[in-house]
Amino acid sequence: MVPPSLTLDQFLCTHKPASSADAWSLRHLFASIGLAGKRLAQDLRRAGLLNILGTTGETNVQGEAVKKLDQIANDTFVESFQQSKVVCALGSEEMEKPLLMPEHWPNGPYVVLIDPLDGSSNTDVNMPLGSIFSIMTCRRKDQPPSGDDLVRKGTEQIAAGYLCYGPSTMLVLTIGQGVVGFTLEPETGDYLLSHKSIRIPTRGKVYAANEGNYLKWTSGMKQYIDRLKVRDKTAGRPYSGRYSGCMVADIHRLLLNGGVYLYPGEIDKPEGKLRLLYEANPLAMVVEQAGGAASTGTMRIMDVEAKMLHQRVPLIIGSVEDVQEAEACIQGRA
Ligand code: FDP
């Protein structure tokens, strides 16, 4: 039997957000994220038995082939947010334009950005996947939401987190008061508090990066990765390489055990691959709230000026000392 533990809803009843967000509507919002996660986890568990693997034949706004599960994940979150009535604007990796729901405003004050299914290349091979969410409130109280309400700095987030679909489904979140983790209890369908206060070690022994891109990297980035492989007992090197193809899973590992995840800018693509608003910002908030750091290589992720919905950004995230060392190499200071 699973020992008694707080459910997600009980946790939100007893823990107030750091922002002035209304606790009641925030509970509703998290209930809708939890519900979407449960539905998606159910689909993922049966994916090989249902006709939902492979691509839809369409291409998304990023120019990538849309997987059937990308579409299912997006529809699942959209439906759940619409039912919740507390979300008035939604931005998603899978939608070129924002979905505005002024009918939910002003009682539904939340502006949400999502990557509904992170690690899409893992869908067909039974590997871990994730969903990422960033939460803000509508900028103005006297005006219904507009697309601009979604395009804001990471420091304006009031909550953020991710779902990780692995051997178990986990919901990891911050409401600005540290980081907690819930594990989905498959029998009862409750998210139970399993990780009460997640703190990332100041230094790790693991790095996660797609080394197939080595020749595209800047000399500073190459120098950093080369250094991690050099034997040095006192510095705890060489590091181990661990890259799953799912950033949520890789960052979940280092949030618990320490280390660094890097998707840097490249010589011919200095903006990198990852998206600022629904990938880098929410993960940066989680990692910072756990005592870690998130950088572009030259500045704090959450201070990056947001200019457009699908903006890309280089990302170096994880244990503080590891991120600082990577920054020093990238900036040519090491
Ligand atoms: P994906 O595009 O497959 O959804 O954009 C996010 C992401 O996956 C991360 O989850 C992952 O770490 C990275 O991109 C994988 O990209 P590469 O295949 O270029 O390594």
Side-chain angles (χ1 to χ4, degrees):
M1 211 178 81
V2 178
S5 193
L6 282 186
T7 64
L8 173 62
D9 195 52
Q10 286 169 334
F11 174 86
L12 292 168
C13 282
T14 49
H15 293 74
K16 299 272 165 278
S19 65
S20 59
D22 164 56
W24 182 86
S25 58
L26 197 62
R27 272 172 57 206
H28 269 268
L29 176 55
F30 272 106
S32 67
I33 291 171
L35 180 62
K38 264 186 244 184
R39 288 180 174 158
L40 198 48
Q42 211 165 38
D43 284 339
L44 295 175
R45 272 202 302 276
R46 296 181 177 82
L49 303 173
L50 310 171
N51 183 22
I52 55 174
L53 296 179
T55 54
T56 61
E58 281 157 32
T59 308
N60 70 10
V61 60
Q62 336 281 348
E64 300 156 348
V66 178
K67 301 265 184 178
K68 288 182 190 170
L69 274 165
D70 282 325
Q71 194 60 58
I72 290 170
N74 193 60
D75 293 348
T76 305
F77 276 99
V78 168
E79 194 181 297
S80 198
F81 290 140
Q82 284 189 322
Q83 281 168 351
S84 80
K85 296 191 168 45
V86 294
V87 176
C88 63
L90 176 68
S92 164
E93 177 174 11
E94 297 305 325
M95 301 191 303
E96 186 177 354
K97 299 215 165 85
L99 175 65
L100 300 179
M101 296 172 259
E103 66 278 17
H104 297 166
W105 178 88
N107 292 338
Y110 296 107
V111 169
V112 181
L113 290 133
I114 55 167
D115 176 356
L117 200 61
D118 172 65
S120 304
S121 68
N122 285 358
T123 50
D124 298 347
V125 291
N126 198 22
M127 292 276 286
L129 290 153
S131 302
I132 311 173
F133 54 88
S134 161
I135 301 173
M136 294 178 284
T137 45
C138 206
R139 213 181 246 148
R140 293 182 52 172
K141 290 209 162 57
D142 58 343
Q143 210 171 285
S146 74
D148 289 347
D149 278 294
L150 291 157
V151 184
R152 290 150 70 184
K153 269 190 188 175
T155 46
E156 294 193 45
Q157 296 173 107
I158 60 150
Y162 60 80
L163 283 139
C164 185
Y165 313 101
S168 54
T169 296
M170 281 197 69
L171 172 58
V172 174
L173 63 91
T174 177
I175 50 173
Q177 311 262 36
V179 179
V180 286
F182 297 83
T183 300
L184 181 62
E185 210 293 309
E187 298 286 309
T188 63
D190 289 318
Y191 286 96
L192 298 179
L193 185 63
S194 50
H195 296 65
K196 288 195 176 93
S197 171
I198 299 177
R199 300 294 299 168
I200 181 169
T202 50
R203 186 174 274 281
K205 285 175 184 272
V206 164
Y207 71 96
N210 181 345
E211 286 202 70
N213 292 329
Y214 187 87
L215 295 177
K216 301 179 194 167
W217 291 342
T218 62
S219 55
M221 174 65 190
K222 284 180 184 159
Q223 182 200 347
Y224 176 64
I225 295 294
D226 291 346
R227 177 192 286 210
L228 296 182
K229 297 174 184 172
V230 176
R231 196 166 178 180
D232 180 341
K233 247 187 170 174
T234 46
R237 297 198 299 254
Y239 276 27
S240 294
R242 295 279 185 274
Y243 189 73
S244 71
C246 171
M247 173 169 55
V248 163
D250 289 329
I251 290 183
H252 185 66
R253 176 203 297 275
L254 60 88
L255 195 63
L256 299 179
N257 297 336
V260 61
Y261 172 98
L262 310 100
Y263 213 111
E266 295 167 0
I267 293 168
D268 294 335
K269 201 178 168 194
E271 71 280 17
K273 172 189 179 183
L274 301 174
R275 272 50 65 121
L276 174 65
L277 298 180
Y278 42 81
E279 293 184 318
N281 272 343
L283 293 171
M285 184 177 182
V286 170
V287 169
E288 281 197 10
Q289 282 288 321
S295 166
T296 62
T298 53
M299 69 179 290
R300 182 185 178 215
I301 285 286
M302 289 208 288
D303 285 332
V304 172
E305 207 62 59
K307 297 196 176 108
M308 54 188 175
L309 186 55
H310 299 289
Q311 185 169 334
R312 293 177 194 267
V313 75
L315 177 66
I316 290 129
I317 186 167
S319 296
V320 166
E321 290 180 12
D322 290 305
V323 171
Q324 284 170 351
E325 198 176 328
E327 279 180 323
C329 288
I330 288 168
Q331 292 171 23
R333 292 187 278 109

